Amino acid sequence: MTQKELPKAYDFHGTEERIYQWWDSQGYFQPTNDPNKPDFDPTKKPFVIAIPPPNVTGGLHLGHAMFVSIEDLMIRYHRMKGEPTLWIPGSDHAGIATQLQVEKALAQEGKTREDIGREAFIERTWSWKKKYGGMIQQQIRRLGASCDWTRERFTLDDGLSRAVREAFVTLYEKGLIYRGPRLVNWSPNLRTAVSDLEVEHSQEPGTLYYFKYPLADNPEEFLPVATTRPETILGDTAVAVHPDDPRYKKYVGRKALVPMLDREIPIIADEYVDREFGTGALKITPAHDPNDYDIAQRHNLDIINILNKDVTINENGGPYQGLDREECRKRLWADMKARGMVIKEEPYTLNVPRSQRGGEIIEPMISEQWFVKIDSIAKKAIDAVRDGDIRIVPDHFTKVYFNWMENIQDWCISRQLWWGHRIPVWYCDDCKGMTVQREDPAQCQHCGSTHIHQDDDVLDTWFSSGLWPFSTLGWPDETPDLKYFYPTSVLETGYDILFFWVARMIMDGLEFTDEAPFHTVYLHGLIRDEHGQKMSKTKGNVIDPLVVMDKLGTDALRFTLLVGSAPGNDMNLSEKKVEANRNFANKIWNAGRFVINAIANAPEKPEREPVWTPADEWLHARMREVVRNVNRLFESYQFGEAGRQIYDFFWSEFADWYIEIAKMQLRESGDRAFYTAWTLVRVLDKCLRMLSPFTPYVTEELWGHLKQAAQAKSELLCPDDPWAEALMIAQWPESKPEEGWEKEAVEKFANATMEHSRAFRTLKTELNIPANQAASGSIIATHEMLPVLEAQKDLIAYSSALKELEILTAVPDAEVYKQFHSSSIAATGSMIYLHTQEAVVDDKLREKLERELSEANSQIQRLENLLASDFANKAPAKVVENERTKLETYRQTAEKLKKQLK
RNA sequence: GGGCGGUUAGCUCAGCUGGUUAGAGCGUUGCGUUGACAUCGCAAAGGUCGUAGGUUCGAGUCCUAUACCGCCCA
């Protein structure tokens, strides 16, 4: 393809898929140093990320787009730095979510999972997985993800299932897993226990019910008690009061009668009771309230469960058996009212536990579950972060992590589901013993009986996710991958799963491999709509990344997500923002077209050594500075800021200034044209390399054309780091130390060409002279600025579209110059004049100059005060010198203005 | 109740270890299209950086208090 054929606008539709497939087919996504291959070099340090496995049957949303963008950015950056890089993709079986989807499909046939049985159900779920499971992986590819797809993993694969079993049995053997009846969070809809983390608490209006708790030995006497959940009265096993409460002291030790059931229960004293709350007397329902459960443990109280698994009342509810919990509450309360046991009801704000998934009210309930004893494991995980083996970015999440880890509770890992890793425990029907094994047993470990059956429950999905960084690499086997790629490098994910997932990986990693599974945790924020609202289907403010990519391109979406966010901070996204970055992609494209065209028209080689223009020097110096900044920012995980620096440099400096000036320099032909083209190629090449991890498609496509055009022209147009097969595997620009000439080159160009051209342009605009209409102008400069301005005279004239430009240090003819429109440049002490035809001293001009003078005067005043203060003694000499120069410049500006206004 | 963030231009947000005229995108206003780009260019308007103290020669940046908003944990 020649440059003539490059379309005027970047066509991402025709580019993205083709480029992705090419990368993939070239094997660029696979690590360059593979421990399974003969030329493997174990001394090279790899960079490894394990993907946060998305739900296998889910569809892509912005959260995925976010983590893919950030991780791909890191992976591409390290790959370009020449490190062997591995990004392991995969997905999660998502027990509850997936099971629900299959159950929903079954329901449409009028069936339940029980109808078809466990085996058939699981089979069905697998075929569901096969059908929909690939979807999200395809969508992740669209985002440009450079994962090694040959190493893709799924939590229910054989290998990973083995890892889960190994983990469970190991913990069991260490005595860190136990089973028992405990109070758990019961999800009535899902009919399973869920972990503390899967419960959200919401403030909701409710009622506080006051009633009489009659004394057993004297039914005329009663204790007033308040509750928010009257139906739990049926499960009360005590009434508690504060030991120091004078109102109730006399009741302690006596018995009360459970309303309607007339069951005798003790009245106890416990300091947990809040005397201020309600009546100061607390009913205790250990089977259905976590605090009551704790009290029951202390006082050895009975624990009476009153609920069935479908949260209807069970046989312990006496006459209320079979009623739903809501219905029971109404009936029981009505019955108590009829008996005169009710005192009052008052409105009260409840703290309602709701399922994170379905939103239904979670019922605390006693049931037989499996738990991981977490204390000792958590301690190691705390130490790892405290000792710096693991660093959390941004830093403030370290505190959040400690806070949670230090108050962690044992983890309920069993789920009453069918889709997942079945608990590897077998019960003997004969001796009742338990067999816990890595391999499915044929007989009881204890009595040898063959009458054994496996535990019905499966493990929490997070149990397998916690093993992810090493299970994906082959653990428990000592595979070459595990040996080389583990521990991984960075774990990147949203802060919302810091506890769910990150903390568990850290605990598991330390427990099973004796190593921190990664050295850095990078947490990104949540994506909200443009006004900071959470996106939700009901609000209708959901942005679908697939739609955005269709409309504006993948690069635009990626760049927006990457540059619009700081680590750990939520980000507000709107299509407008993506649009702005689509424009950026187009800007890159068109700058590229210009450069390619410039190459074509440039000579093949120069006649002599280069003579750089001030613009060339400025651009090279700025480029070097940007490379240093970007490298520094990448190293400190400030990717957004890095992207912004490249964006600004590319658009506001390279495109707006240098390319414009290059047009003039190219027209000079000869060596000037050659070295200008050479500069254009080198700078564009560096920018494309640094942008590649942000916007991989447009940069790859353009770089291909650039390389081709440059190579076709001359070997001499080769950039610093040589051309590579593809941009995505080209060498990353490394920082080079600052050299003496750079600062001066930047300052000179900014002060001369940029400042003066801008001033002329503004003046033209004010005078309604079309920007491209040539006029003549003068600069009255300070003596210091004169040589600099002289050197850039042509550049200034060109950039200001001036037909003629004179540079002087004093006005040659005051009377004439007073007639010209003028303006001062405070930063350089210059005065500029436009030699307009209609010489007018209108009030507006005077006013303007007076305004400039008063501004200059106030600055002079400010600086004089500043320099007369302690500042001059205490501030570093450099800073003081800077201010002195500034003052001098303002003085010169003021002088010139005064003369002009005389 | 404990903890963590945020508060900067009309909107959405940057602003690293404090350095002295606070930036961007979008929006608004004016001008502009025969060659990189109207998915654009040139220019303009717009902010006492939530409030009150403090440290410092110097504070958007550090400290203390406080208000409001949000989140996490209990």
Side-chain angles (χ1 to χ4, degrees), chain A residues 708-732:
Chain A
Q708 197 176 43
Q711 284 181 327
K713 173 61 79 175
S714 162
E715 277 299 308
L716 297 172
L717 288 178
C718 185
D720 253 359
D721 299 308
W723 299 113
E725 227 177 82
L727 178 62
M728 75 162 278
I729 55 162
Q731 181 63 39
W732 176 263

Side-chain angles (χ1 to χ4, degrees), chain A residues 731-751:
Chain A
Q731 181 63 39
W732 176 263
E734 291 300 339
S735 297
K736 297 205 181 80
E738 195 179 335
E739 293 172 2
W741 59 277
E742 291 177 36
K743 209 176 162 209
E744 210 183 317
V746 170
E747 252 172 38
K748 279 183 175 170
F749 184 78
N751 283 336

Side-chain angles (χ1 to χ4, degrees), chain A residues 672-686:
Chain A
R672 174 70 18 98
F674 175 83
Y675 286 115
T676 300
W678 184 89
T679 300
L680 285 166
V681 171
R682 288 173 85 87
V683 171
L684 177 62
D685 167 78
K686 274 210 167 52

